Amino acid sequence: MTGTAGITRIEGVMATISERIAARSLAPGARLPSVRSFAKTMRVSVSTVVEAYERLAAEGVIRSRPGSGFYVCGPLPPLSLSETGARSGRNVDPLWISRQSLEVGDDTLKPGCGWLPPSWLPQTALRKAMRTLARGDIGVLANYGTPLGLQPLRQLLARRLGEHGINVPPDQIMLTESGTQAIDLLCRFLLKPGDTVVVDDPCYFNFHALLRAHRAKVVSVPFTPTGPDVELFGQALERHKPRLYITNSAIHNPTGATLSPVTAHRLLKLADAAGLVIIEDDIFADFEQVPAPRLAAYDGLERVIHIGSSSKTLSASIRCGFVAAKPAWIDDLVDLKVASSFSCGQVSAELVYLALKDGSYRKHVEALRVRLAKAMDEVSARLEAIGITPWLKPHAGMFLWCRLPEGLDAADLARACLAEGVILAPGNVFSLSETAGRFMRFNVAQSAEPRIFDVLEASMQKLRMKHRDPVATGLTPA
């Protein structure tokens, strides 16, 4: 039963004990009241107190001594600074946005993060899938998954990929823990330390971090509204002899641009001549209104490896991704996956399968596209009103790549806004060449709160005043 404060009676008992421990009225080592006496004090059943005590013991707050009762454990470790909020002193590097966004609570505004708000996700389908799974075969909850991953999900993914012109049988699809793990496995499989990899400039900042972890040499090529600059791409292949190219071909992160058919054909021609392998990261596929060209569709998975996940449109908490590649590579990748992680999450794969096959998912995605398009228009207008200009109007997705007014640095603005509880995504974390100092990536789904634009405008004004102040700039009047 739930009390007036919206918590259960068990949770109420737990909260009372925790508060007494925090207030030191129950010191470390102190014996808790007996189950019966505390039940009488709290006016609840004995079973309620028993369950509350058991849960607190499971959390390590108290401990049981058989035949004696329950006792308060030693003092909890002090709260670390990272638990109190975002750390403003961290350098603005490729992991800055992720660390800032993941380390704070829901009360912090996150227009710079790369995921949808929980309220935008298909909660009904997720809860239904979890209930179905909980009532099902215990083997699903307890056993390892198969090396390739859940077959019904791979079959469903094969049909979905076919809608984008990628004809691949289920046994050429391997499930992974996430899209990020898929790229990590591919880097282990394809790269040796010192190998060269081409990325877009700008590109998803975690590509930089992953490639650095694999000790790869990274070369960037400027990205245009229709894909990478093909002439400069060809020059990079000739000069650096890269092993790999990693990109988003459909909805590009961070720019929101879409690869054109002409650029796709020219890229594949250059890749074929240079013996280049391409990883096509397609995690934003379900955001598309009209499908864009897929390199894997044109190439037939000969030298293109296609990856994806459901984290952006279904749940970031349920980790499940996939790799689609030619048979020989899939076989070797399965061995590598077994060696490094043994199996992918069976429970996550089952949940994703149940949610995706539910008839409500397509309706959710259709409504989500409309909602994002509306948010794109609204956020674009709000940004332009304060002098922040979108680089282009994306056809779909949640990202706006924007140029700041002349004289403003995105990293400085991000630090200033962080102090006001707003996390932004400054451009140079996406740019290997660090030529995006005046750019910001905005997530339109996370930018509904008017306070974001108030903080942006006020912070920009403060930075302008600081730059004009002769004392602040170290200049003195003539």
Side-chain angles (χ1 to χ4, degrees):
M1 184 177 293
T2 302
T4 57
I7 63 173
T8 66
R9 290 176 178 176
I10 294 171
E11 290 166 342
V13 173
M14 293 173 68
T16 299
I17 294 295
S18 298
E19 288 165 6
R20 292 186 182 184
I21 293 172
R24 295 297 188 265
S25 61
L26 283 172
R31 185 176 184 274
L32 269 65
S34 71
V35 169
R36 292 190 180 280
S37 67
F38 202 56
K40 186 175 181 180
T41 300
M42 294 292 293
R43 297 182 180 179
V44 296
S45 68
V46 169
S47 62
T48 295
V49 177
V50 169
E51 179 64 21
Y53 279 14
E54 291 292 346
R55 291 189 191 181
L56 287 169
E59 293 177 7
V61 178
I62 63 176
R63 66 178 184 274
S64 171
R65 293 181 185 173
S68 178
F70 289 88
Y71 292 79
V72 179
C73 291
L76 295 176
L79 186 68
S80 72
L81 289 176
S82 66
E83 293 178 280
T84 63
R87 296 178 296 164
S88 58
R90 181 185 173 91
N91 290 332
V92 180
D93 59 25
L95 293 176
W96 188 87
I97 306 162
S98 295
R99 289 292 300 271
Q100 302 292 358
S101 299
L102 292 170
E103 288 175 354
V104 299
D106 292 336
D107 55 333
T108 301
L109 299 173
K110 306 171 188 176
C113 80
W115 52 86
L116 295 174
S119 62
W120 288 49
L121 295 173
Q123 299 177 42
T124 301
L126 286 172
R127 294 181 190 280
K128 179 181 176 182
M130 295 178 78
R131 288 193 299 270
T132 300
L133 198 59
R135 293 193 298 263
D137 184 357
I138 185 60
V140 173
L141 301 176
N143 291 333
Y144 289 110
T146 60
L148 273 176
L150 183 68
Q151 184 177 15
L153 178 55
R154 290 186 288 109
Q155 291 171 334
L156 187 150
L157 290 172
R159 292 193 294 270
R160 286 164 60 87
L161 289 173
E163 296 173 4
H164 294 285
I166 304 171
N167 297 313
V168 54
D171 59 3
Q172 281 180 237
I173 298 174
M174 180 187 76
L175 300 187
T176 61
E177 295 287 352
S178 64
T180 300
Q181 192 207 27
I183 296 175
D184 183 51
L185 285 171
L186 289 167
C187 287
R188 295 189 198 193
F189 174 61
L190 295 168
L191 298 177
K192 302 185 300 292
D195 281 351
T196 299
V197 180
V198 177
V199 298
D200 302 321
D201 199 339
C203 74
Y204 174 42
F205 51 77
N206 214 36
F207 291 167
H208 298 162
L210 270 172
L211 292 170
R212 184 173 60 193
H214 286 280
R215 301 180 184 179
K217 177 185 175 183
V218 187
V219 174
S220 63
V221 173
F223 202 78
T224 77
T226 58
D229 184 307
V230 177
E231 184 176 348
L232 294 178
F233 190 88
Q235 292 176 14
L237 298 192
E238 186 175 347
R239 184 178 300 120
H240 300 286
K241 305 294 188 291
R243 168 68 172 148
L244 193 63
Y245 169 49
I246 305 179
T247 188
N248 307 114
S249 62
I251 299 173
H252 185 259
N253 183 8
T255 66
T258 301
L259 183 70
S260 73
V262 172
T263 301
H265 281 292
R266 294 179 66 187
L267 280 178
L268 288 171
K269 190 174 180 179
L270 289 168
D272 188 57
L276 181 74
V277 177
I278 299 174
I279 296 177
E280 182 176 47
D281 184 356
D282 199 22
I283 63 171
F284 303 107
D286 282 354
F287 288 139
E288 285 184 297
Q289 301 278 8
V290 178
R294 272 14 181 226
L295 293 169
Y298 291 151
D299 171 74
L301 294 177
E302 182 57 36
R303 63 177 59 261
V304 176
I305 301 172
H306 192 85
I307 71 171
S309 84
S310 57
S311 64
K312 301 304 178 184
T313 53
L314 187 60
S315 169
S317 181
I318 302 171
R319 309 299 288 159
C320 185
F322 69 88
V323 175
K326 58 186 179 183
W329 285 359
I330 285 291
D331 195 50
D332 289 341
L333 282 167
V334 167
D335 285 345
L336 180 58
K337 186 180 80 167
V338 171
S340 60
S341 61
F342 200 76
S343 172
C344 59
Q346 176 86 334
V347 171
S348 291
E350 289 277 0
L351 285 172
V352 169
Y353 172 64
L354 290 170
L356 292 184
K357 77 168 188 172
D358 190 280
S360 66
Y361 179 74
R362 284 191 180 273
K363 294 178 181 177
H364 156 71
V365 169
E366 290 169 1
L368 179 60
R369 292 168 185 160
V370 173
R371 191 174 185 182
L372 281 171
K374 181 181 178 183
M376 190 75 70
D377 290 337
E378 292 173 350
V379 174
S380 295
R382 285 182 170 182
L383 290 171
E384 290 186 81
I386 59 175
I388 300 176
T389 310
W391 183 64
L392 57 75
K393 175 66 183 297
H395 296 301
M398 58 183 168
F399 296 136
L400 269 178
W401 184 240
C402 298
R403 184 182 287 106
L404 299 179
E406 187 73 38
L408 291 179
D409 179 79
D412 290 343
L413 182 58
R415 292 191 189 95
C417 290
L418 181 62
E420 301 298 325
V422 176
I423 296 174
L424 298 175
N428 273 346
V429 304
F430 303 92
S431 174
L432 186 70
S433 64
E434 297 190 347
T435 54
R438 279 185 58 203
F439 283 84
M440 282 276 188
R441 187 195 72 180
F442 289 91
N443 179 342
V444 299
Q446 296 276 4
S447 300
E449 175 58 53
R451 182 170 168 269
I452 291 171
F453 305 95
D454 294 338
V455 169
L456 273 169
E457 189 170 24
S459 298
M460 289 193 298
Q461 184 61 24
K462 286 180 182 178
L463 288 173
R464 290 190 186 101
M465 293 299 293
K466 180 180 178 181
H467 293 158
R468 291 171 187 163
D469 185 345
V471 176
T473 57
L475 300 175
T476 56

PDB file of all heavy atoms in Angstrom, residues 360-388:
ATOM      1  N   SER A 360       2.704  -0.926 -30.915  1.00  0.00           N
ATOM      2  CA  SER A 360       2.727   0.472 -30.482  1.00  0.00           C
ATOM      3  C   SER A 360       4.049   1.169 -30.804  1.00  0.00           C
ATOM      4  O   SER A 360       4.120   2.394 -30.803  1.00  0.00           O
ATOM      5  CB  SER A 360       2.474   0.556 -28.971  1.00  0.00           C
ATOM      6  OG  SER A 360       3.542  -0.026 -28.244  1.00  0.00           O
ATOM      7  N   TYR A 361       5.121   0.380 -31.081  1.00  0.00           N
ATOM      8  CA  TYR A 361       6.421   1.017 -31.284  1.00  0.00           C
ATOM      9  C   TYR A 361       6.440   1.890 -32.535  1.00  0.00           C
ATOM     10  O   TYR A 361       6.935   3.014 -32.516  1.00  0.00           O
ATOM     11  CB  TYR A 361       7.538  -0.029 -31.357  1.00  0.00           C
ATOM     12  CG  TYR A 361       8.899   0.611 -31.585  1.00  0.00           C
ATOM     13  CD1 TYR A 361       9.541   1.285 -30.550  1.00  0.00           C
ATOM     14  CD2 TYR A 361       9.514   0.572 -32.830  1.00  0.00           C
ATOM     15  CE1 TYR A 361      10.767   1.897 -30.745  1.00  0.00           C
ATOM     16  CE2 TYR A 361      10.739   1.177 -33.044  1.00  0.00           C
ATOM     17  CZ  TYR A 361      11.367   1.835 -31.996  1.00  0.00           C
ATOM     18  OH  TYR A 361      12.574   2.459 -32.212  1.00  0.00           O
ATOM     19  N   ARG A 362       5.893   1.378 -33.631  1.00  0.00           N
ATOM     20  CA  ARG A 362       5.890   2.178 -34.861  1.00  0.00           C
ATOM     21  C   ARG A 362       5.058   3.452 -34.681  1.00  0.00           C
ATOM     22  O   ARG A 362       5.428   4.513 -35.186  1.00  0.00           O
ATOM     23  CB  ARG A 362       5.353   1.350 -36.034  1.00  0.00           C
ATOM     24  CG  ARG A 362       6.358   0.337 -36.555  1.00  0.00           C
ATOM     25  CD  ARG A 362       5.911  -0.276 -37.864  1.00  0.00           C
ATOM     26  NE  ARG A 362       6.876  -1.231 -38.357  1.00  0.00           N
ATOM     27  CZ  ARG A 362       7.917  -0.930 -39.123  1.00  0.00           C
ATOM     28  NH1 ARG A 362       8.116   0.330 -39.480  1.00  0.00           N
ATOM     29  NH2 ARG A 362       8.740  -1.859 -39.530  1.00  0.00           N
ATOM     30  N   LYS A 363       3.948   3.330 -33.957  1.00  0.00           N
ATOM     31  CA  LYS A 363       3.151   4.526 -33.697  1.00  0.00           C
ATOM     32  C   LYS A 363       3.933   5.520 -32.846  1.00  0.00           C
ATOM     33  O   LYS A 363       3.869   6.740 -33.064  1.00  0.00           O
ATOM     34  CB  LYS A 363       1.849   4.146 -32.986  1.00  0.00           C
ATOM     35  CG  LYS A 363       0.907   3.312 -33.846  1.00  0.00           C
ATOM     36  CD  LYS A 363      -0.352   2.925 -33.070  1.00  0.00           C
ATOM     37  CE  LYS A 363      -1.278   2.063 -33.921  1.00  0.00           C
ATOM     38  NZ  LYS A 363      -2.477   1.621 -33.153  1.00  0.00           N
ATOM     39  N   HIS A 364       4.666   4.998 -31.880  1.00  0.00           N
ATOM     40  CA  HIS A 364       5.513   5.856 -31.045  1.00  0.00           C
ATOM     41  C   HIS A 364       6.534   6.597 -31.897  1.00  0.00           C
ATOM     42  O   HIS A 364       6.727   7.811 -31.743  1.00  0.00           O
ATOM     43  CB  HIS A 364       6.235   5.008 -29.987  1.00  0.00           C
ATOM     44  CG  HIS A 364       7.504   5.624 -29.479  1.00  0.00           C
ATOM     45  ND1 HIS A 364       7.520   6.732 -28.656  1.00  0.00           N
ATOM     46  CD2 HIS A 364       8.810   5.295 -29.704  1.00  0.00           C
ATOM     47  CE1 HIS A 364       8.778   7.064 -28.381  1.00  0.00           C
ATOM     48  NE2 HIS A 364       9.571   6.209 -29.001  1.00  0.00           N
ATOM     49  N   VAL A 365       7.196   5.877 -32.804  1.00  0.00           N
ATOM     50  CA  VAL A 365       8.232   6.484 -33.632  1.00  0.00           C
ATOM     51  C   VAL A 365       7.636   7.539 -34.559  1.00  0.00           C
ATOM     52  O   VAL A 365       8.212   8.619 -34.757  1.00  0.00           O
ATOM     53  CB  VAL A 365       8.987   5.402 -34.426  1.00  0.00           C
ATOM     54  CG1 VAL A 365       9.878   6.045 -35.481  1.00  0.00           C
ATOM     55  CG2 VAL A 365       9.824   4.541 -33.493  1.00  0.00           C
ATOM     56  N   GLU A 366       6.475   7.247 -35.129  1.00  0.00           N
ATOM     57  CA  GLU A 366       5.817   8.218 -36.010  1.00  0.00           C
ATOM     58  C   GLU A 366       5.488   9.506 -35.250  1.00  0.00           C
ATOM     59  O   GLU A 366       5.708  10.616 -35.745  1.00  0.00           O
ATOM     60  CB  GLU A 366       4.552   7.609 -36.610  1.00  0.00           C
ATOM     61  CG  GLU A 366       4.833   6.516 -37.633  1.00  0.00           C
ATOM     62  CD  GLU A 366       3.567   5.755 -38.020  1.00  0.00           C
ATOM     63  OE1 GLU A 366       2.483   6.120 -37.496  1.00  0.00           O
ATOM     64  OE2 GLU A 366       3.668   4.806 -38.821  1.00  0.00           O
ATOM     65  N   ALA A 367       4.956   9.364 -34.036  1.00  0.00           N
ATOM     66  CA  ALA A 367       4.641  10.537 -33.219  1.00  0.00           C
ATOM     67  C   ALA A 367       5.909  11.255 -32.788  1.00  0.00           C
ATOM     68  O   ALA A 367       5.939  12.494 -32.718  1.00  0.00           O
ATOM     69  CB  ALA A 367       3.837  10.102 -31.990  1.00  0.00           C
ATOM     70  N   LEU A 368       6.969  10.496 -32.523  1.00  0.00           N
ATOM     71  CA  LEU A 368       8.236  11.089 -32.114  1.00  0.00           C
ATOM     72  C   LEU A 368       8.819  11.954 -33.226  1.00  0.00           C
ATOM     73  O   LEU A 368       9.342  13.046 -32.963  1.00  0.00           O
ATOM     74  CB  LEU A 368       9.216   9.970 -31.739  1.00  0.00           C
ATOM     75  CG  LEU A 368      10.620  10.398 -31.309  1.00  0.00           C
ATOM     76  CD1 LEU A 368      10.563  11.292 -30.070  1.00  0.00           C
ATOM     77  CD2 LEU A 368      11.477   9.158 -31.050  1.00  0.00           C
ATOM     78  N   ARG A 369       8.735  11.499 -34.455  1.00  0.00           N
ATOM     79  CA  ARG A 369       9.257  12.289 -35.584  1.00  0.00           C
ATOM     80  C   ARG A 369       8.532  13.627 -35.693  1.00  0.00           C
ATOM     81  O   ARG A 369       9.158  14.665 -35.931  1.00  0.00           O
ATOM     82  CB  ARG A 369       9.100  11.494 -36.879  1.00  0.00           C
ATOM     83  CG  ARG A 369       9.991  10.268 -36.964  1.00  0.00           C
ATOM     84  CD  ARG A 369       9.567   9.386 -38.118  1.00  0.00           C
ATOM     85  NE  ARG A 369      10.317   8.143 -38.163  1.00  0.00           N
ATOM     86  CZ  ARG A 369       9.907   7.052 -38.797  1.00  0.00           C
ATOM     87  NH1 ARG A 369       8.733   7.049 -39.429  1.00  0.00           N
ATOM     88  NH2 ARG A 369      10.655   5.955 -38.796  1.00  0.00           N
ATOM     89  N   VAL A 370       7.219  13.595 -35.529  1.00  0.00           N
ATOM     90  CA  VAL A 370       6.433  14.835 -35.587  1.00  0.00           C
ATOM     91  C   VAL A 370       6.831  15.758 -34.437  1.00  0.00           C
ATOM     92  O   VAL A 370       7.005  16.968 -34.619  1.00  0.00           O
ATOM     93  CB  VAL A 370       4.927  14.511 -35.539  1.00  0.00           C
ATOM     94  CG1 VAL A 370       4.112  15.798 -35.431  1.00  0.00           C
ATOM     95  CG2 VAL A 370       4.510  13.715 -36.773  1.00  0.00           C
ATOM     96  N   ARG A 371       6.969  15.178 -33.267  1.00  0.00           N
ATOM     97  CA  ARG A 371       7.324  15.977 -32.087  1.00  0.00           C
ATOM     98  C   ARG A 371       8.707  16.611 -32.238  1.00  0.00           C
ATOM     99  O   ARG A 371       8.917  17.768 -31.869  1.00  0.00           O
ATOM    100  CB  ARG A 371       7.286  15.074 -30.849  1.00  0.00           C
ATOM    101  CG  ARG A 371       7.377  15.816 -29.523  1.00  0.00           C
ATOM    102  CD  ARG A 371       7.184  14.849 -28.367  1.00  0.00           C
ATOM    103  NE  ARG A 371       7.140  15.555 -27.097  1.00  0.00           N
ATOM    104  CZ  ARG A 371       7.010  14.960 -25.916  1.00  0.00           C
ATOM    105  NH1 ARG A 371       6.905  13.632 -25.852  1.00  0.00           N
ATOM    106  NH2 ARG A 371       6.982  15.674 -24.806  1.00  0.00           N
ATOM    107  N   LEU A 372       9.661  15.844 -32.789  1.00  0.00           N
ATOM    108  CA  LEU A 372      11.000  16.375 -32.993  1.00  0.00           C
ATOM    109  C   LEU A 372      11.015  17.485 -34.046  1.00  0.00           C
ATOM    110  O   LEU A 372      11.729  18.477 -33.900  1.00  0.00           O
ATOM    111  CB  LEU A 372      11.952  15.244 -33.413  1.00  0.00           C
ATOM    112  CG  LEU A 372      12.462  14.342 -32.286  1.00  0.00           C
ATOM    113  CD1 LEU A 372      13.205  13.133 -32.867  1.00  0.00           C
ATOM    114  CD2 LEU A 372      13.372  15.118 -31.342  1.00  0.00           C
ATOM    115  N   ALA A 373      10.235  17.309 -35.109  1.00  0.00           N
ATOM    116  CA  ALA A 373      10.172  18.339 -36.145  1.00  0.00           C
ATOM    117  C   ALA A 373       9.638  19.648 -35.578  1.00  0.00           C
ATOM    118  O   ALA A 373      10.144  20.742 -35.885  1.00  0.00           O
ATOM    119  CB  ALA A 373       9.300  17.863 -37.306  1.00  0.00           C
ATOM    120  N   LYS A 374       8.630  19.551 -34.730  1.00  0.00           N
ATOM    121  CA  LYS A 374       8.077  20.746 -34.091  1.00  0.00           C
ATOM    122  C   LYS A 374       9.109  21.384 -33.167  1.00  0.00           C
ATOM    123  O   LYS A 374       9.301  22.610 -33.175  1.00  0.00           O
ATOM    124  CB  LYS A 374       6.817  20.378 -33.313  1.00  0.00           C
ATOM    125  CG  LYS A 374       6.151  21.568 -32.629  1.00  0.00           C
ATOM    126  CD  LYS A 374       4.916  21.137 -31.846  1.00  0.00           C
ATOM    127  CE  LYS A 374       4.283  22.326 -31.118  1.00  0.00           C
ATOM    128  NZ  LYS A 374       3.116  21.902 -30.304  1.00  0.00           N
ATOM    129  N   ALA A 375       9.796  20.548 -32.379  1.00  0.00           N
ATOM    130  CA  ALA A 375      10.819  21.063 -31.478  1.00  0.00           C
ATOM    131  C   ALA A 375      11.972  21.702 -32.247  1.00  0.00           C
ATOM    132  O   ALA A 375      12.530  22.713 -31.819  1.00  0.00           O
ATOM    133  CB  ALA A 375      11.344  19.937 -30.583  1.00  0.00           C
ATOM    134  N   MET A 376      12.307  21.122 -33.389  1.00  0.00           N
ATOM    135  CA  MET A 376      13.374  21.677 -34.225  1.00  0.00           C
ATOM    136  C   MET A 376      13.037  23.096 -34.650  1.00  0.00           C
ATOM    137  O   MET A 376      13.881  24.006 -34.578  1.00  0.00           O
ATOM    138  CB  MET A 376      13.584  20.782 -35.445  1.00  0.00           C
ATOM    139  CG  MET A 376      14.814  21.112 -36.270  1.00  0.00           C
ATOM    140  SD  MET A 376      16.351  20.582 -35.495  1.00  0.00           S
ATOM    141  CE  MET A 376      16.249  18.805 -35.639  1.00  0.00           C
ATOM    142  N   ASP A 377      11.806  23.323 -35.081  1.00  0.00           N
ATOM    143  CA  ASP A 377      11.380  24.668 -35.493  1.00  0.00           C
ATOM    144  C   ASP A 377      11.392  25.638 -34.321  1.00  0.00           C
ATOM    145  O   ASP A 377      11.878  26.776 -34.431  1.00  0.00           O
ATOM    146  CB  ASP A 377       9.973  24.610 -36.101  1.00  0.00           C
ATOM    147  CG  ASP A 377       9.939  23.914 -37.452  1.00  0.00           C
ATOM    148  OD1 ASP A 377      10.986  23.860 -38.111  1.00  0.00           O
ATOM    149  OD2 ASP A 377       8.859  23.428 -37.832  1.00  0.00           O
ATOM    150  N   GLU A 378      10.866  25.197 -33.182  1.00  0.00           N
ATOM    151  CA  GLU A 378      10.761  26.075 -32.020  1.00  0.00           C
ATOM    152  C   GLU A 378      12.130  26.449 -31.467  1.00  0.00           C
ATOM    153  O   GLU A 378      12.397  27.623 -31.166  1.00  0.00           O
ATOM    154  CB  GLU A 378       9.916  25.410 -30.934  1.00  0.00           C
ATOM    155  CG  GLU A 378       8.442  25.262 -31.317  1.00  0.00           C
ATOM    156  CD  GLU A 378       7.660  24.458 -30.291  1.00  0.00           C
ATOM    157  OE1 GLU A 378       8.287  23.857 -29.388  1.00  0.00           O
ATOM    158  OE2 GLU A 378       6.411  24.428 -30.397  1.00  0.00           O
ATOM    159  N   VAL A 379      13.003  25.464 -31.329  1.00  0.00           N
ATOM    160  CA  VAL A 379      14.333  25.729 -30.775  1.00  0.00           C
ATOM    161  C   VAL A 379      15.160  26.573 -31.740  1.00  0.00           C
ATOM    162  O   VAL A 379      15.885  27.486 -31.320  1.00  0.00           O
ATOM    163  CB  VAL A 379      15.042  24.406 -30.425  1.00  0.00           C
ATOM    164  CG1 VAL A 379      16.484  24.661 -29.990  1.00  0.00           C
ATOM    165  CG2 VAL A 379      14.283  23.682 -29.322  1.00  0.00           C
ATOM    166  N   SER A 380      15.045  26.296 -33.039  1.00  0.00           N
ATOM    167  CA  SER A 380      15.759  27.119 -34.037  1.00  0.00           C
ATOM    168  C   SER A 380      15.367  28.586 -33.905  1.00  0.00           C
ATOM    169  O   SER A 380      16.225  29.482 -33.914  1.00  0.00           O
ATOM    170  CB  SER A 380      15.450  26.628 -35.449  1.00  0.00           C
ATOM    171  OG  SER A 380      15.932  25.332 -35.663  1.00  0.00           O
ATOM    172  N   ALA A 381      14.071  28.839 -33.778  1.00  0.00           N
ATOM    173  CA  ALA A 381      13.586  30.214 -33.668  1.00  0.00           C
ATOM    174  C   ALA A 381      14.094  30.879 -32.391  1.00  0.00           C
ATOM    175  O   ALA A 381      14.503  32.051 -32.403  1.00  0.00           O
ATOM    176  CB  ALA A 381      12.060  30.238 -33.708  1.00  0.00           C
ATOM    177  N   ARG A 382      14.085  30.150 -31.289  1.00  0.00           N
ATOM    178  CA  ARG A 382      14.554  30.711 -30.015  1.00  0.00           C
ATOM    179  C   ARG A 382      16.041  31.027 -30.061  1.00  0.00           C
ATOM    180  O   ARG A 382      16.498  32.056 -29.540  1.00  0.00           O
ATOM    181  CB  ARG A 382      14.265  29.733 -28.870  1.00  0.00           C
ATOM    182  CG  ARG A 382      12.798  29.677 -28.461  1.00  0.00           C
ATOM    183  CD  ARG A 382      12.611  28.718 -27.293  1.00  0.00           C
ATOM    184  NE  ARG A 382      11.268  28.809 -26.727  1.00  0.00           N
ATOM    185  CZ  ARG A 382      10.862  28.101 -25.686  1.00  0.00           C
ATOM    186  NH1 ARG A 382      11.689  27.260 -25.090  1.00  0.00           N
ATOM    187  NH2 ARG A 382       9.638  28.230 -25.226  1.00  0.00           N
ATOM    188  N   LEU A 383      16.814  30.145 -30.676  1.00  0.00           N
ATOM    189  CA  LEU A 383      18.256  30.377 -30.781  1.00  0.00           C
ATOM    190  C   LEU A 383      18.564  31.560 -31.692  1.00  0.00           C
ATOM    191  O   LEU A 383      19.412  32.401 -31.365  1.00  0.00           O
ATOM    192  CB  LEU A 383      18.950  29.108 -31.292  1.00  0.00           C
ATOM    193  CG  LEU A 383      18.993  27.925 -30.315  1.00  0.00           C
ATOM    194  CD1 LEU A 383      19.497  26.672 -31.014  1.00  0.00           C
ATOM    195  CD2 LEU A 383      19.875  28.242 -29.104  1.00  0.00           C
ATOM    196  N   GLU A 384      17.893  31.611 -32.818  1.00  0.00           N
ATOM    197  CA  GLU A 384      18.132  32.727 -33.744  1.00  0.00           C
ATOM    198  C   GLU A 384      17.756  34.060 -33.116  1.00  0.00           C
ATOM    199  O   GLU A 384      18.384  35.090 -33.395  1.00  0.00           O
ATOM    200  CB  GLU A 384      17.351  32.497 -35.042  1.00  0.00           C
ATOM    201  CG  GLU A 384      17.914  31.357 -35.874  1.00  0.00           C
ATOM    202  CD  GLU A 384      17.235  31.229 -37.229  1.00  0.00           C
ATOM    203  OE1 GLU A 384      17.615  31.991 -38.139  1.00  0.00           O
ATOM    204  OE2 GLU A 384      16.321  30.390 -37.348  1.00  0.00           O
ATOM    205  N   ALA A 385      16.762  34.062 -32.236  1.00  0.00           N
ATOM    206  CA  ALA A 385      16.340  35.296 -31.572  1.00  0.00           C
ATOM    207  C   ALA A 385      17.430  35.864 -30.664  1.00  0.00           C
ATOM    208  O   ALA A 385      17.443  37.072 -30.389  1.00  0.00           O
ATOM    209  CB  ALA A 385      15.062  35.046 -30.769  1.00  0.00           C
ATOM    210  N   ILE A 386      18.348  35.013 -30.196  1.00  0.00           N
ATOM    211  CA  ILE A 386      19.435  35.518 -29.350  1.00  0.00           C
ATOM    212  C   ILE A 386      20.775  35.496 -30.083  1.00  0.00           C
ATOM    213  O   ILE A 386      21.841  35.595 -29.461  1.00  0.00           O
ATOM    214  CB  ILE A 386      19.530  34.726 -28.023  1.00  0.00           C
ATOM    215  CG1 ILE A 386      19.760  33.234 -28.274  1.00  0.00           C
ATOM    216  CG2 ILE A 386      18.274  34.928 -27.193  1.00  0.00           C
ATOM    217  CD1 ILE A 386      19.985  32.419 -26.986  1.00  0.00           C
ATOM    218  N   GLY A 387      20.727  35.347 -31.407  1.00  0.00           N
ATOM    219  CA  GLY A 387      21.935  35.479 -32.213  1.00  0.00           C
ATOM    220  C   GLY A 387      22.706  34.203 -32.471  1.00  0.00           C
ATOM    221  O   GLY A 387      23.833  34.256 -32.972  1.00  0.00           O
ATOM    222  N   ILE A 388      22.130  33.031 -32.148  1.00  0.00           N
ATOM    223  CA  ILE A 388      22.780  31.745 -32.405  1.00  0.00           C
ATOM    224  C   ILE A 388      22.144  31.136 -33.656  1.00  0.00           C
ATOM    225  O   ILE A 388      20.938  30.887 -33.682  1.00  0.00           O
ATOM    226  CB  ILE A 388      22.641  30.807 -31.196  1.00  0.00           C
ATOM    227  CG1 ILE A 388      23.301  31.434 -29.962  1.00  0.00           C
ATOM    228  CG2 ILE A 388      23.253  29.443 -31.494  1.00  0.00           C
ATOM    229  CD1 ILE A 388      23.126  30.625 -28.688  1.00  0.00           C
TER     230      ILE A 388
END
